[in-house]
Amino acid sequence: MESVFGLVGRDFAIVAADTSAVHSILVHKTNEDKIMVLDSHKLLGASGETGDRAQFTEYIQKNVALYQFRNGIPLTTAAAANFTRGELATALRKNPYMVNIILAGYDKVTGPSLYYIDYIASLHKLDKAAFGYGSYFALSMMDRHYCSDMTVEEAIELVDKCIMEIRSRLVIAPPNFLIKIVDKDGAREYAWRESIKDAPVPTA
Amino acid sequence: MSIFEYNGSALVAMVGKNCFAIASDWRLGVQLQTIATDFQKIYRIHDKLFLGLAGLATDAQTLYQRLVFRHKLYQLREERDMKPETFASLVSAVLYEKRFGPYFTQPVIAGLSDGDKPFICTMDSIGAKELAKDFVVAGTASESLYGACESMFKPDMEPEELFETISQALLSSVDRDCLSGWGGHVYLVTPTEVTERILKGRMD
C-alpha cells in the first residue's frame, strides 16, 4: 500500500512518498514519481489507484497552468486545493477518482501551507498529514517530534525517522522514498532514500 | 461502519432567554484514525444565523458551499439576510433534491428570528425538519447528547448559564463517543453580540 506524507516547516513544506508501482503481487518499478510539481511553487503528492492518480494529477496540473495563462497570475495554494477538491467532489457520485492527495505550496503572502484531500473530497488545511498504511507510523512519529517552525534539517531528520519506521514496521514496506520540498525558491526534488536501485531504463 | 460515522461529529444547539448557543466538537477522523483536531463544523451564514453540519465531511463541505451560494444570491436579490425559518426550508429543499442519492449530513440550524426570537431546528439527511423549542442534537454522539441535554436543560436561561449548560452537555457526551471530541467550539448569540469560545476537554 502506498505511503504519502508531508509537513510544514518554518518557511517551506515537504512532501515525501514511496516510489513503488505495484500491481497485485508484482512490483512494476521502484522509482515511480508520485509527487507532481503542479507549478513553480506547488507540490501534489498523490496515492491510490495508479491510473486515477496519473490522470487526475495531470488534469489538475494542466488546469492550474491554464489559469495562469488566462489570468496572468498563478493560483494560490488554497485556491488550487479547493479546485482539486471541487473536481474530486463533482466526480464522486459519478465516476470517483480513488486518489488521496497532499497538496503543499508556498505563497509569498501567506507562506508555506499543506492541504489534506482524501479520495472522497474531504479538504482540510494541516501542518502534518499522511496517507496509507505508512500513515499509522508517520503520523505517530510526527505527533511526537514535530514542532512548528522547524528548519529544513530538523524536518528532513523527522521525515527520515518516519521512513525508517515505515521500513522497519510495515510488513510489505516500500524500499524507496522520494522527498520533495517547496519554499520561496520554488518546488523541487530534495532527495531520494533508496534501499533498492532499479537498472536505469534507456529513454526513447 | 455507517457512512454517517466515517468522519465523526457532535453538534448541539440550545435555546435560552432571547439568545441561543450552538456547539460542536473539533475532531476530523477517518474511521478509527484521527486526522485533525481543529476541523470546524459550525458555519456563520450571517450574524443571526448559524449552520452546523454533522456527518460525512466531504458532503458537509459541498452542502455548505451550495447553501452559502444560495444565501448570497438571496442577499443580492432581496437586499436583506435570510430568516432562520426560510433558511431551514431552503436546506430541507436542497437535501430533498438529492432524495435518491443524498448528502450524508445532518444539519443543525440555529438563528434569531423576527423580534430576536431564538429558532433552532435539525433535519435528517433527506430534509425532514425537526423543530424544537429547547434543544436539537446531531452527529455520532447524538444519543449521549439527547440524554445530557434532557437532564441539564432549563427553559429561559440567561446567556452565561446557557453557555455553561451547553458546554457541559457537549463535553460529557463526546467523552462517551470515540469518534468525536478533542475539545469544543461554542457560539453564543444574543441580539447584540456573538461570542465564540473554545473549550478544552479530554484530548482523546
Side-chain angles (χ1 to χ4, degrees):
Chain A
M1 222 252 151
E2 306 181 352
S3 308
V4 185
F5 58 96
L7 56 100
V8 172
R10 180 170 293 169
D11 47 9
F12 63 91
I14 284 182
V15 180
D18 78 287
T19 58
S20 36
V22 168
H23 195 99
S24 152
I25 56 165
L26 182 69
V27 179
H28 280 302
K29 59 194 291 222
T30 53
N31 57 0
E32 169 86 357
D33 185 352
K34 296 175 191 170
I35 308 174
M36 178 157 271
V37 174
L38 269 192
D39 71 9
S40 61
H41 287 77
K42 284 178 203 51
L43 290 172
L44 187 87
S47 75
E49 195 75 56
T50 317
D52 282 348
R53 172 173 51 74
Q55 303 284 22
F56 184 73
T57 56
E58 203 174 304
Y59 174 71
I60 298 296
Q61 186 192 52
K62 300 317 174 198
N63 272 282
V64 167
L66 183 62
Y67 181 94
Q68 181 154 7
F69 286 133
R70 280 188 174 145
N71 299 289
I73 51 161
L75 277 170
T76 59
T77 314
N82 276 287
F83 171 71
T84 307
R85 187 205 104 80
E87 292 302 307
L88 282 169
T90 310
L92 181 62
R93 283 173 156 88
K94 294 186 185 120
N95 187 10
Y97 294 107
M98 307 296 283
V99 195
N100 296 311
I101 282 163
I102 291 186
L103 202 155
Y106 184 88
D107 303 306
K108 260 213 288 274
V109 178
T110 50
S113 51
L114 187 108
Y115 289 86
Y116 164 104
I117 311 168
D118 79 359
Y119 75 100
I120 49 172
S122 314
L123 169 74
H124 196 52
K125 184 172 181 305
L126 287 168
D127 283 337
K128 50 192 186 316
F131 281 110
Y133 286 124
S135 71
Y136 291 118
F137 311 106
L139 279 175
S140 302
M141 290 309 280
M142 290 196 283
D143 282 342
R144 172 67 182 84
H145 296 290
Y146 178 86
C147 45
S148 54
D149 241 35
M150 289 173 98
T151 63
V152 180
E153 291 73 31
E154 287 168 343
I156 293 295
E157 219 182 286
L158 176 52
V159 168
D160 281 330
K161 281 196 176 107
C162 294
I163 291 173
M164 258 196 328
E165 213 49 40
I166 294 171
R167 272 193 183 140
S168 55
R169 290 297 185 182
L170 197 52
V171 60
I172 304 184
N176 300 341
F177 283 82
L178 172 60
I179 305 171
K180 290 197 182 177
I181 190 170
V182 59
D183 60 14
K184 65 175 181 2
D185 300 322
R188 59 195 180 278
E189 207 177 279
Y190 182 88
W192 284 80
R193 298 284 186 251
E194 286 168 310
S195 51
I196 290 179
K197 232 178 152 60
D198 251 356
V201 178
T203 49
Chain B
M1 202 187 243
S2 149
I3 190 76
F4 289 99
E5 294 163 9
Y6 188 75
N7 293 123
S9 50
L11 269 173
V12 55
M14 263 189 200
V15 166
K17 196 179 176 75
N18 298 325
C19 64
F20 69 86
I22 182 167
S24 76
D25 72 318
W26 279 113
R27 183 180 178 271
L28 173 72
V30 170
Q31 295 186 311
L32 56 89
Q33 190 180 51
T34 299
I35 299 299
T37 56
D38 59 356
F39 186 72
Q40 184 157 338
K41 288 160 198 156
I42 301 175
Y43 301 100
R44 176 193 160 279
I45 304 293
H46 60 77
D47 269 341
K48 292 184 179 178
L49 178 57
F50 284 76
L51 169 72
L53 288 167
L56 195 63
T58 176
D59 282 350
Q61 288 175 327
T62 303
L63 188 63
Y64 164 68
Q65 286 172 348
R66 284 192 65 192
L67 290 168
V68 156
F69 170 72
R70 296 289 297 264
H71 184 253
K72 281 185 175 174
L73 267 180
Y74 182 93
Q75 276 178 324
L76 285 170
R77 290 188 180 124
E78 300 265 329
E79 294 180 357
R80 65 183 178 90
D81 292 329
M82 231 186 222
K83 273 190 264 185
E85 293 89 351
T86 317
F87 188 73
S89 295
L90 172 66
V91 178
S92 175
V94 167
L95 289 173
Y96 198 78
E97 265 174 3
K98 304 279 185 195
R99 171 63 178 83
F100 300 108
Y103 291 118
F104 298 110
T105 55
Q106 210 187 344
V108 165
I109 295 151
L112 290 175
S113 187
D114 286 332
D116 289 331
K117 192 171 176 305
F119 169 88
I120 53 168
C121 96
T122 185
M123 53 192 83
D124 68 3
S125 59
I126 49 173
K129 265 188 276 184
E130 188 205 307
L131 304 167
K133 294 197 176 70
D134 41 17
F135 57 85
V136 290
V137 302
T140 48
S142 60
E143 277 144 13
S144 299
L145 278 165
Y146 272 125
C149 290
E150 196 67 69
S151 54
M152 294 186 202
F153 181 81
K154 295 197 313 277
D156 286 327
M157 281 186 277
E158 292 296 328
E160 284 313 309
E161 199 190 349
L162 180 68
F163 166 72
E164 276 306 318
T165 309
I166 201 174
S167 305
Q168 293 296 343
L170 179 74
L171 288 179
S172 59
S173 304
V174 303
D175 284 349
R176 280 289 183 185
D177 177 24
C178 53
L179 299 175
S180 54
W182 288 93
H185 188 196
V186 188
Y187 282 96
L188 184 64
V189 181
T190 65
T192 48
E193 63 170 358
V194 173
T195 320
E196 181 185 352
R197 291 194 184 98
I198 292 168
L199 309 171
K200 190 164 172 122
R202 275 188 68 111
M203 303 306 234
D204 61 0

